[in-house]
Amino acid sequence: MGIRDLIQETLFSLSSNKVRSFLTTLGIVIGIASVIAMTSLIGGMQKSFIDEMGLSQARMVQVSAYVPDRPLAKKDADALATAFPEYEDIAATAYGFATISTDKTSYETSVWGVTGNYFSLAVVKAESGRLLEEDDDRRLTRALVVGKGIVRELFGDEDAPALGTTVRIGPNAESYLIVGVIEGNGTSSHYYNAYMPMGTLQSRITGTESYDTILALAREGTDATELAVRTKEFLAQWLKTSEDNVFAYSMQEIINQMNVVMAGFSLMLTSIASISLFVGGIGIMNMMLTTVTERTREIGLRKSLGAHTSDITRQFLAESIALCLIGGFFGIVMGYAASWGLAGLVTVVQPGTSGFSPVLGIESVAIAAGVCALIGIVFGFYPARRAARLDPVESLRYQ
Amino acid sequence: MTVVLDVNGLHRIYRTKAGDTHALRGVSLTVEQGEFVAIMGPSGSGKSTLMNILGCLDKPTHGSYRFEGADIADYSEDELADLRATRIGFVFQSFNLLPRATVLRNVMLPLVYTLCPRPEREQRARFALHCVGLEERFFEHRSNELSGGQMQRVAIARALVNNPALILADEPTGNLDTRTGELVLETFTRLKETGRTIVLITHEPDVAAHADRVLSIRDGLLYTASTGGKAGHTANMPFREGDMP
């Protein structure tokens, strides 16, 4: 029996029993649909997280230290730059609490001081105006860059024309010019932030020379996680303190941790879905056994017409594999559709978030198809074998 | 004449828990090419057992069976299947057509198990259907839409399609009324005239009378009933239905 005959026979007998074939595959459809929905949701979450962070962020190492009376400062950043040529660039941030006020309203918040290279390192984009530059840091300009949340608090609407407006900040209510608004809605980490040059913050708001966080960008190709470990060791020595007081995290490490959590989550859901697949497989086996009994005479006839035992085995195995694959196909389609529905639901439940698009990789589709074929083989094997071993004489006489 | 079947001292014993059943007790039979032989006997006489062995669906317990000169005792299960696929055509009492398949598909079914190339299959099926006199307008009908006589002619066409050395018919008129049965038997007679070898099994003397040679089987033994018989010779038969205890 050739492969084309096999396919033809299989489709013919499945289509002669459409309703039953459909009902039998439901277990497989549901099992595969839930795995696919979950896989594409998780894929989408990971992708949107990484997209939001920017590609270079994986190479970022965040450094901070808590030593009494010895805050981090520019000399520490310089020391790091000298000790680790693996860092491409080093920026720093510090913050202080201040009240930002306009003629009409005022808003108390933390104001960040950033070095001139901060925005390019952190891959922040301006929606309007410009971001702070090296020159601002050098000249200690009173320039202010704000997120849209700050704009909303000060001007009532996040899209209000804030650019070019003068606001007053600090104990002396000195005037600052808003030179830029940062893009991004409520999910953006810059939404409620206001930034001024590092030197300006230090001299006019905090009155200290200290940094809170040093951000170091590892060169492409270096292992940021390993570099973070060495940075921590170095800094503890440099500050003459224990490593417990020094922190150096690479973003890669955080991504890895998220991946571990996601993997655990998908493992759990996969095991739940596999119960559905197992039940579905038993359904397939049940239907195949019924089919074999119903078609006993046909099996006897086929044998009398010259079918080998292997032809009969293959015919019934092909039917059960085809059933599972058809179920798998609908499961993949339905699961992918459901993942879009669920992703849409996230935006409804949590307004203001940008939402994300589910991502279904070709390898997930291939694995799902492979699992379906495997279920077809495992649960179709016994019925097919039973069909093949029927005695032609007995089965022709079967009523 | 070429010998198609050569059976010698055939025994078939069914071993069951309730004891052995000796269904065939030494049957010998030779059928030559182009012969139309009827084997007649009541139920329980061993005729179905003989039919199964002649059709290579079953193997004898003792005795030899040579099909076209080859001893099938040495054949594996798959080799027997190949023999059935290419050299033997079966016609059953209950037709055994695939009900939802079209007439053409039913007739082409045996060719799936042969090396017959796909484009040739339909051609051969159409030819076989013409041989049994089924009209072309029925070819695309589903087989369960046909009358009993038409179904049996489709089944005969299916038996013919692989150009077999032997056509084995088991009570082919058993499910048909007398007139339709007569038409089916005429089909066999016509096939015989074109040189086909036919072995027909029946319990009805009227049916057996269409054959050139009638053998009767009783209690697992084969007797010659008459040769060259037509209707009317039945009186020479050793028994009639109802004579049996």
Side-chain angles (χ1 to χ4, degrees):
Chain A
M1 203 178 192
I3 187 79
R4 282 177 66 187
D5 290 321
L6 191 64
I7 293 168
Q8 211 171 29
E9 293 283 331
T10 304
L11 295 181
F12 178 76
S13 51
L14 288 183
S15 64
S16 352
N17 234 325
K18 288 193 194 72
V19 177
R20 191 160 75 180
S21 307
F22 167 73
L23 290 175
T24 308
T25 55
L26 269 185
I28 304 287
V29 172
I30 293 167
I32 291 292
S34 43
V35 175
I36 289 291
M38 168 205 86
T39 310
S40 28
L41 273 178
I42 288 177
M45 281 184 213
Q46 280 173 324
K47 186 171 182 295
S48 84
F49 182 79
I50 288 166
D51 281 356
E52 199 165 299
M53 255 181 14
L55 267 180
S56 62
Q57 293 306 87
R59 293 189 274 132
M60 192 72 83
V61 176
Q62 263 189 30
V63 181
S64 49
Y66 302 95
V67 186
D69 303 323
R70 175 63 175 88
L72 289 175
K74 187 166 190 312
K75 57 183 175 188
D76 303 315
D78 291 343
L80 278 181
T82 317
F84 295 101
E86 293 95 325
Y87 288 125
E88 192 176 301
D89 203 356
I90 294 181
T93 64
Y95 69 92
F97 289 101
T99 308
I100 307 178
S101 48
T102 63
D103 297 341
K104 291 179 184 122
T105 180
S106 63
Y107 180 58
E108 202 174 319
T109 182
S110 55
V111 178
W112 294 82
V114 293
T115 53
N117 53 359
Y118 170 77
F119 287 110
S120 66
L121 238 71
V123 203
V124 174
K125 288 196 182 73
E127 184 171 272
S128 58
R130 64 173 183 88
L131 297 166
L132 299 173
E133 290 152 10
E134 299 282 0
D135 195 41
D136 292 294
D137 208 13
R138 227 177 356 258
R139 296 197 295 121
L140 305 182
T141 56
R142 281 189 270 164
L144 197 68
V145 169
V146 292
K148 288 163 81 175
I150 298 282
V151 174
R152 197 178 74 189
E153 296 296 335
L154 293 175
F155 303 98
D157 178 12
E158 63 173 35
D159 291 319
L163 204 65
T165 315
T166 305
V167 293
R168 299 186 173 278
I169 302 178
N172 304 324
E174 290 171 309
S175 59
Y176 288 77
L177 182 68
I178 297 179
V179 297
V181 177
I182 297 166
E183 71 168 19
N185 58 17
T187 52
S188 159
S189 50
H190 307 285
Y191 191 66
Y192 276 114
N193 287 357
Y195 299 91
M196 62 173 66
M198 177 62 91
T200 309
L201 181 95
Q202 287 173 335
S203 59
R204 294 177 188 277
I205 310 283
T206 61
T208 69
E209 295 267 290
S210 63
Y211 286 171
D212 288 302
T213 306
I214 295 172
L215 292 172
L217 182 69
R219 284 180 202 284
E220 231 169 307
T222 47
D223 180 350
T225 312
E226 181 265 343
L227 194 54
V229 173
R230 285 199 284 132
T231 301
K232 185 174 168 160
E233 284 168 9
F234 167 81
L235 207 61
Q237 265 176 8
W238 170 258
L239 297 174
K240 301 187 182 62
T241 184
S242 107
E243 280 194 26
D244 296 341
N245 299 331
V246 179
F247 299 90
Y249 287 115
S250 81
M251 289 306 279
Q252 185 58 52
E253 214 168 316
I254 294 168
I255 293 172
N256 290 347
Q257 271 168 14
M258 186 190 73
N259 285 346
V260 168
V261 171
M262 291 290 194
F265 190 56
S266 31
L267 189 70
M268 186 188 77
L269 286 173
T270 306
S271 16
I272 294 171
S274 60
I275 296 171
S276 169
L277 289 177
F278 182 76
V279 173
I282 291 175
I284 298 275
M285 179 144 100
N286 193 20
M287 153 151 181
M288 291 311 295
L289 285 173
T290 313
T291 306
V292 169
T293 309
E294 274 180 357
R295 285 159 66 188
T296 299
R297 280 175 80 91
E298 180 193 322
I299 294 161
L301 171 75
R302 285 179 185 273
K303 283 199 161 181
S304 74
L305 295 181
H308 288 196
T309 305
S310 60
D311 289 326
I312 306 289
T313 312
R314 272 192 286 167
Q315 189 188 339
F316 283 89
L317 212 48
E319 275 183 35
S320 103
I321 293 170
L323 268 177
C324 291
L325 284 179
I326 290 166
F329 172 78
F330 285 110
I332 289 167
V333 171
M334 281 174 55
Y336 191 53
S339 68
W340 277 94
L342 287 170
L345 208 61
V346 170
T347 355
V348 175
V349 171
Q350 202 122 41
T353 55
S354 59
F356 60 92
S357 308
V359 175
L360 182 58
I362 184 75
E363 66 281 351
S364 309
V365 174
I367 290 170
V371 166
C372 288
L374 193 70
I375 293 170
I377 292 169
V378 168
F379 290 94
F381 184 75
Y382 172 64
R385 197 171 157 75
R386 197 150 126 163
R389 293 175 106 179
L390 284 175
D391 175 51
V393 174
E394 293 294 326
S395 16
L396 277 169
R397 219 184 288 153
Y398 184 84
Q399 288 300 326
Chain B
M1 272 298 186
T2 322
V3 173
V4 178
L5 297 184
D6 184 20
V7 170
N8 224 317
L10 217 58
H11 285 259
R12 180 68 173 94
I13 303 166
Y14 293 105
R15 301 191 195 282
T16 61
K17 280 180 195 148
D20 291 357
T21 310
H22 216 135
L24 296 178
R25 301 162 178 271
V27 169
S28 298
L29 169 68
T30 303
V31 177
E32 293 184 334
Q33 199 193 334
E35 264 194 301
F36 183 0
V37 179
I39 296 172
M40 207 176 71
S43 53
S45 58
K47 65 182 193 303
S48 293
T49 305
L50 181 60
M51 154 98 179
N52 290 335
I53 290 174
L54 294 184
C56 300
L57 289 168
D58 194 6
K59 277 186 177 183
T61 314
H62 306 293
S64 77
Y65 176 24
R66 301 176 82 81
F67 188 92
E68 293 188 302
D71 192 338
I72 68 145
D74 311 331
Y75 278 33
S76 70
E77 206 180 310
D78 281 351
E79 284 169 327
L80 288 178
D82 288 336
L83 192 67
R84 294 196 294 272
T86 53
R87 307 306 295 152
I88 301 174
F90 286 93
V91 179
F92 305 96
Q93 177 174 359
S94 48
F95 324 134
N96 281 338
L97 299 176
L98 300 183
R100 282 177 292 258
T102 63
V103 164
L104 270 176
R105 206 185 151 81
N106 264 294
V107 177
M108 286 190 285
L109 187 61
L111 300 176
V112 167
Y113 302 110
T114 66
L115 297 173
C116 179
R118 290 171 70 87
E120 206 186 303
R121 292 182 193 167
E122 185 170 330
Q123 214 181 323
R124 284 174 70 168
R126 284 177 180 278
F127 179 73
L129 283 163
H130 283 301
C131 289
V132 299
L134 194 81
E135 290 164 70
E136 192 130 6
R137 66 194 164 95
F138 294 112
F139 287 10
E140 294 297 339
H141 279 236
R142 277 153 57 132
S143 69
N144 56 5
E145 296 167 348
L146 303 179
S147 72
Q150 286 169 332
M151 284 200 219
Q152 195 57 301
R153 277 186 286 162
V154 172
I156 297 170
R158 182 181 62 195
L160 272 177
V161 77
N162 53 13
N163 197 21
L166 170 71
I167 295 175
L168 265 177
D170 187 7
E171 302 277 14
T173 59
N175 281 6
L176 301 173
D177 62 61
T178 317
R179 209 178 61 80
T180 321
E182 203 61 33
L183 285 172
V184 166
L185 288 169
E186 269 170 35
T187 311
F188 280 115
T189 311
R190 260 207 319 283
L191 290 177
K192 185 250 156 198
E193 279 158 9
T194 60
R196 298 282 169 191
T197 311
I198 301 163
V199 173
L200 182 149
I201 288 178
T202 184
H203 65 272
E204 290 178 85
D206 292 346
V207 172
H210 286 75
D212 307 329
R213 181 151 67 101
V214 178
L215 302 166
S216 73
I217 186 166
R218 192 162 41 159
D219 297 332
L221 287 167
L222 204 58
Y223 304 91
T224 302
S226 70
T227 47
K230 279 283 168 206
H233 286 260
T234 44
N236 299 336
M237 300 238 173
F239 65 89
R240 279 189 188 152
E241 208 192 355
D243 289 349
M244 288 303 292

